[in-house]
Amino acid sequence: MPITFHSEKKIFKLDTSTSSYIFKIGEGGYVMGLYWGEKLDEADVDYLTVREGHDSNVPLSASVPDWRFSPDTMQAEYPAYGTGDFRLPAVMIKNAAGNCVTDCRYGGHRISRGKKPIPGIPSTYASDDEAETLELFCRDVTGAEFTLVYTVFEDFPVMTRHAVVKNGSDTPIWVEKAASMCVDFTHPAGFELLHLWGCWARERRVERRPLGHGITKISSGRGASGHYHNPFAALVLPGTDEEHGDAYGFNLVYSGNFAIEAEVDAFGLTRVVCGINEDGFSWKLAPGEKFYTPEVVMTYSNSGLGGMSRAQHRFYRRHLLEKKWLASPRPVVVNNWEATYFDFDADKLVDIARDAGALGFDMLVVDDGWFGKRNDDSCSLGDWVVNEEKLPGGMGKLAERIGEFGMGLGLWFEPEMASRDSDLYRAHPDWCIHTEGRDMSIARRQYVLDLSREDVCDYIVDALTSVLSSADIKYVKWDFNRKLTEYSSAVLPADRQGELFHRYILGLYSVVGRIKERFPDVLLEGCASGGGRYDPAMLALFPQYWTSDDTDPIERLYIQYGTSMAYPACTMSCHVSASPNHQTGRKTPFSTRCDVAAAGVFGYELDPRALSEREREETKRRVAEYKARRHIVTDGDLYRLIPPDGDECAWMYVTKDKSEALFTYVRIKTMIAPVAFVRLRGLDPDRTYVDGDGRRYLGSTLMRAGLNLTGGRRDAESVTVYFKAE
Ligand code: DGJ
């Protein structure tokens, strides 16, 4: 049993495949953390409770007679605001009296097999024989009730947590903050924080820095999880590297305003609180109503960052992503965005499809510009009607014409938006998020539709349904190119305006869910100006995600490296584009563009008609090779061999049975007479591996001595080696 309750000592022990998480019910009903880390063989670690004498500035609890105990220094599982713990709170409830004083004490628990979904919010799933769930029922004297939900996965070093707040009183209350989880580490201070920061076309850069005293907050307040910070962070002990050391990953399964906060207090304890960002948030609960938080995926690894990432990748493939799209190979697409931008018509698209079909591609994705009167980004978002001047006969005709070359049709939408110049905005200006009496900020000449409104959600579902049922459309790229401003909703009452951000996200999940129900065979690719909403909740709905608008393979090394910290390669959409690159102007070899794009879900973002004869031949070979070997990448284990911190970068994927591996090395910047030996990882030491030239190596040799990549590679040149075990 992964969850055990030791009733005498009131200790809960939650065991995953390699970790233990232990907490207890202390005096006064306080829920107190004890331990999270490498698996322990015993539960009774009560001695880890912090108890020390304090000065008068650290308040004592009226219900615990021990003068050494204070809420301000206890390791809390769900610390409440205003009752003696001055550190980061997990929960703050405003009551009918108008104050926010909150308390959270144990009132009972239930342990059951499996895992229940969270209403309205995507979450991880598990069958009854894969996981066990603990619900811890807590309450405040005001009648506010809190259920802390822990699910433990037996085959992964992973657990998930979320919380449910219920108004058990007979007056309204307001949830001002309800985190999904809190953990107080008993490790001595000295953690380092690793997180993913960035901006448009430079997403998910890795930053690692010591966690100092005080509060550190990684967050978004933009209405979307965003380019700037990703809802993923890891705490690592100093010295932890790719393969050794303790790493604790936190990944919030949520696409809106989030916060991952860490506080190192004066006594050296580190607290981590993750959940919906409290800034601008307030949720009214009528008597009897419940509020569900999104969940946090908590991964522990004692084999470094690589171990943490591999565990999380495997976990997401097994427990988060849609099975259907994992089992069936995804189409290899040509997307026309960088090939044509807005300058296309049916004949041009058919020409591209003809070429692409001959090269082995499966699908043409028609990007922005097929609807309304949109010939640039100034208009027509929201008017989802095919532009018959560009595409006579509509999507049905186009699908039929490109189908002759064996090509399926994919289509771009930006459903959550209305252009200022659109029939939709003219008809329904109040459908866009705005604040009465204030100017509306504009970005890309468009506004954000208010998805907290049912009528708006219905419109989006109907508009997309009408296009998607007009033709055999097999793929949708769902874009989102600006963030929310002037946050208020025309339909919410004054005391519910703080609900807008979260209601928007709930509306989005419901709209996407309804589209998926109506069109279960359409593959959805997520996009938000590239990877601006690359989070686990989106991945539960969108099996793949446009990783970044930056398609320069050198820039992609950093972006894909950072993305791989949390997310598996099967979610990472990566395209070969033209050189010089449209975003950076950098010239790179064709083969490097292919090698780097083949590290995820491979496709093209260029006009195949512009390829040279040599590039056409290479494309045919690359597409065929990718189809034959993609399982190594999309279902294999990733080993990051050389991070892109210096002049070179290398990684490899290995199948679970260790019978195949794909290794890629990129020389970022050339060097005269470089010597490069790269040790491989993850192979079977006792098996013999053969490379593409027929050279045979023992796995142990490749891992101990490595490959010899010495040679005069120029800037941005790369090599990929495929290994097959005999
Ligand atoms: C932003 C996306 O990231 C691009 O790939 C492209 O679809 C454009 N939007 C189209 O407007």
Side-chain angles (χ1 to χ4, degrees):
M1 296 295 269
I3 301 179
T4 40
F5 178 57
H6 301 262
S7 48
E8 223 174 279
K9 296 242 169 187
K10 296 205 175 123
I11 289 180
F12 290 92
K13 183 163 188 271
L14 282 54
D15 286 329
T16 73
S17 57
T18 55
S19 66
S20 296
Y21 187 99
I22 306 175
F23 62 91
K24 69 168 189 179
I25 310 304
E27 267 176 278
Y30 285 106
V31 188
M32 299 164 66
L34 289 172
Y35 174 83
W36 181 26
E38 194 167 347
K39 203 163 192 163
L40 296 188
D41 296 326
E42 56 180 330
D44 188 1
V45 287
D46 197 15
Y47 71 92
L48 292 170
T49 306
V50 174
R51 277 176 195 258
E52 256 308 323
H54 302 295
D55 64 65
S56 61
N57 295 296
V58 178
L60 306 181
S61 164
S63 51
V64 181
D66 184 343
W67 62 271
R68 293 169 307 159
F69 171 80
S70 166
D72 200 28
T73 53
M74 80 170 194
Q75 300 114 271
E77 282 295 293
Y78 206 62
Y81 176 83
T83 38
D85 187 341
F86 293 115
R87 294 164 294 173
L88 283 168
V91 63
M92 186 198 286
I93 306 292
K94 187 162 93 180
N95 52 43
N99 67 69
C100 291
V101 178
T102 310
D103 205 353
C104 175
R105 309 282 183 103
Y106 173 78
H109 71 270
R110 176 167 57 213
I111 297 172
S112 52
R113 295 298 304 174
K115 181 177 195 291
K116 287 197 211 97
I118 302 176
I121 308 177
S123 56
T124 57
Y125 53 82
S127 62
D128 284 359
D129 52 356
E130 291 172 319
E132 198 162 58
T133 296
L134 164 68
E135 291 161 285
L136 205 67
F137 306 116
C138 303
R139 59 174 174 248
D140 190 1
V141 287
T142 58
E145 297 171 15
F146 314 105
T147 305
L148 313 185
V149 186
Y150 302 73
T151 296
V152 180
F153 296 82
E154 297 185 25
D155 295 335
F156 295 87
V158 174
M159 52 183 261
T160 57
R161 281 186 63 180
H162 74 279
V164 185
V165 181
K166 184 178 169 192
N167 182 357
S169 75
D170 50 14
T171 53
I173 59 172
W174 286 262
V175 181
E176 301 296 311
K177 177 172 186 173
S180 304
M181 51 79 53
C182 166
V183 61
D184 277 339
F185 285 95
T186 43
H187 289 287
F191 273 120
E192 291 170 358
L193 170 75
L194 180 148
H195 71 108
L196 308 174
W197 65 280
C199 64
W200 172 74
R202 189 153 46 85
E203 296 91 337
R204 291 175 297 286
R205 293 292 164 115
V206 175
E207 181 175 75
R208 181 170 166 174
R209 58 182 152 98
L211 208 51
H213 285 95
I215 294 173
T216 303
K217 183 171 178 178
I218 305 296
S219 65
S220 168
R222 295 163 191 268
S225 47
H227 293 91
Y228 294 80
H229 293 286
N230 192 271
F232 169 80
L235 291 198
V236 297
L237 289 177
T240 294
D241 62 19
E242 269 295 307
E243 301 302 329
H244 312 93
D246 288 33
Y248 296 85
F250 301 89
N251 208 178
L252 188 64
V253 188
Y254 190 57
S255 313
N257 289 352
F258 73 89
I260 300 177
E261 298 168 283
E263 177 169 4
V264 181
D265 73 8
F267 307 99
L269 295 180
T270 301
R271 168 171 292 180
V272 177
V273 176
C274 304
I276 292 175
N277 191 345
E278 70 201 272
D279 296 347
F281 171 84
S282 174
W283 190 280
K284 183 178 179 181
L285 282 183
E289 280 182 351
K290 288 181 177 169
F291 180 82
Y292 294 86
T293 75
E295 74 179 356
V296 176
V297 173
M298 300 164 66
T299 306
Y300 166 75
S301 159
N302 58 359
S303 47
L305 291 167
M308 175 197 71
S309 299
R310 283 187 292 279
Q312 198 156 300
H313 296 171
R314 282 187 173 203
F315 176 73
Y316 282 165
R317 291 196 299 257
R318 181 69 196 84
H319 292 289
L320 177 76
L321 305 174
E322 253 181 288
K323 293 228 161 49
K324 172 185 177 129
W325 297 109
L326 288 173
S328 50
R330 319 269 177 80
V332 180
V333 310
V334 171
N335 179 303
N336 78 315
W337 179 240
E338 288 193 22
T340 67
Y341 294 103
F342 292 102
D343 180 19
F344 63 83
D345 60 14
D347 289 341
K348 195 188 257 188
L349 294 177
V350 170
D351 279 355
I352 292 175
R354 181 183 298 110
D355 248 43
L359 297 172
F361 289 93
D362 304 308
M363 185 164 302
L364 175 70
V365 179
V366 180
D367 211 282
D368 196 352
W370 55 265
F371 52 91
K373 53 186 176 66
R374 189 158 167 101
N375 291 313
D376 57 35
D377 63 15
S378 67
C379 69
S380 299
L381 293 176
D383 302 342
W384 302 111
V385 176
V386 181
N387 178 341
E388 293 252 358
E389 271 171 41
K390 280 185 181 176
L391 304 171
M395 287 302 161
K397 186 72 194 159
L398 183 63
E400 190 187 308
R401 289 180 71 191
I402 68 172
E404 282 178 29
F405 315 115
M407 295 286 285
L409 177 62
L411 217 53
W412 178 96
F413 288 90
E414 196 178 355
E416 299 156 69
M417 301 289 161
S419 297
R420 181 160 55 186
D421 176 6
S422 66
D423 293 341
L424 180 66
Y425 181 63
R426 280 182 284 274
H428 298 286
D430 60 322
W431 279 14
C432 294
I433 293 177
H434 68 284
T435 302
E436 233 20 80
R438 287 189 190 277
D439 289 341
M440 290 164 81
S441 301
I442 187 126
R444 218 189 183 204
R445 291 176 274 191
Q446 64 197 56
Y447 299 127
V448 185
L449 289 168
D450 182 353
L451 269 70
S452 73
R453 296 175 61 137
E454 258 176 55
D455 47 1
V456 171
C457 293
D458 289 346
Y459 170 81
I460 296 174
V461 172
D462 290 346
L464 265 64
T465 299
S466 146
V467 180
L468 294 179
S469 45
S470 73
D472 185 14
I473 295 162
K474 295 184 156 55
Y475 181 105
V476 162
K477 177 178 173 187
W478 183 301
D479 207 345
F480 173 82
N481 282 303
R482 66 155 290 178
K483 303 299 186 297
L484 282 58
T485 53
E486 290 81 37
Y487 333 109
S488 52
S489 170
V491 292
L492 288 172
D495 62 351
R496 286 192 179 274
Q497 288 293 334
E499 299 176 14
L500 173 66
F501 282 121
H502 185 56
R503 284 190 183 275
Y504 180 94
I505 292 297
L506 294 179
L508 170 65
Y509 294 149
S510 125
V511 165
V512 179
R514 286 161 70 187
I515 296 290
K516 284 170 82 75
E517 249 170 59
R518 288 189 190 182
F519 302 96
D521 296 328
V522 173
L523 172 60
L524 298 186
E525 174 170 278
C527 175
S529 290
R533 209 161 48 180
Y534 205 125
D535 61 66
M538 292 311 269
L539 298 183
L541 299 170
F542 296 84
Q544 60 191 57
Y545 215 91
W546 182 227
T547 311
S548 175
D549 273 351
D550 197 334
T551 54
D552 175 330
I554 297 303
E555 294 305 303
R556 276 297 185 112
L557 294 178
Y558 306 95
I559 295 166
Q560 295 177 192
Y561 169 73
T563 305
S564 80
M565 283 293 156
Y567 307 108
C570 63
T571 63
M572 202 165 66
S573 191
C574 304
H575 292 177
V576 175
S577 61
S579 175
N581 181 267
H582 293 195
Q583 289 77 35
T584 62
R586 187 183 275 132
K587 290 185 184 160
T588 51
F590 190 70
S591 57
T592 304
R593 285 176 267 149
C594 293
D595 280 345
V596 175
V601 179
F602 183 74
Y604 271 37
E605 187 89 9
L606 52 68
D607 189 341
R609 299 170 309 166
L611 294 173
S612 68
E613 218 23 68
R614 191 186 55 75
E615 289 168 341
R616 292 178 68 79
E617 284 315 306
E618 184 162 353
T619 297
K620 269 192 214 161
R621 178 174 67 77
R622 290 287 189 156
V623 172
E625 256 176 23
Y626 181 76
K627 288 183 179 178
R629 295 175 185 166
R630 61 179 147 200
H631 60 281
I632 310 172
V633 173
T634 58
D635 201 29
D637 280 330
L638 169 70
Y639 292 84
R640 294 179 290 252
L641 304 175
I642 306 177
D645 297 339
D647 293 345
E648 51 184 1
C649 177
W651 64 89
M652 65 188 290
Y653 290 96
V654 185
T655 54
K656 271 183 223 137
D657 64 1
K658 299 182 186 294
S659 64
E660 291 176 280
L662 260 186
F663 162 85
T664 301
Y665 173 88
V666 182
R667 176 143 283 282
I668 297 172
K669 191 153 137 288
T670 196
M671 183 195 251
I672 300 301
V675 175
F677 295 101
V678 183
R679 287 181 183 172
L680 306 198
R681 287 190 216 131
L683 300 173
D684 182 337
D686 300 325
R687 289 172 88 173
T688 299
Y689 291 87
V690 189
D691 71 11
D693 298 329
R695 167 84 166 84
R696 300 167 78 241
Y697 306 81
L698 211 52
S700 54
T701 308
L702 287 171
M703 292 195 289
R704 290 174 198 161
L707 280 179
N708 184 355
L709 293 150
T710 302
R713 284 193 181 80
R714 302 280 172 167
D715 282 2
E717 284 184 355
S718 66
V719 58
T720 286
V721 186
Y722 167 68
F723 291 99
K724 175 117 183 82
E726 280 184 337

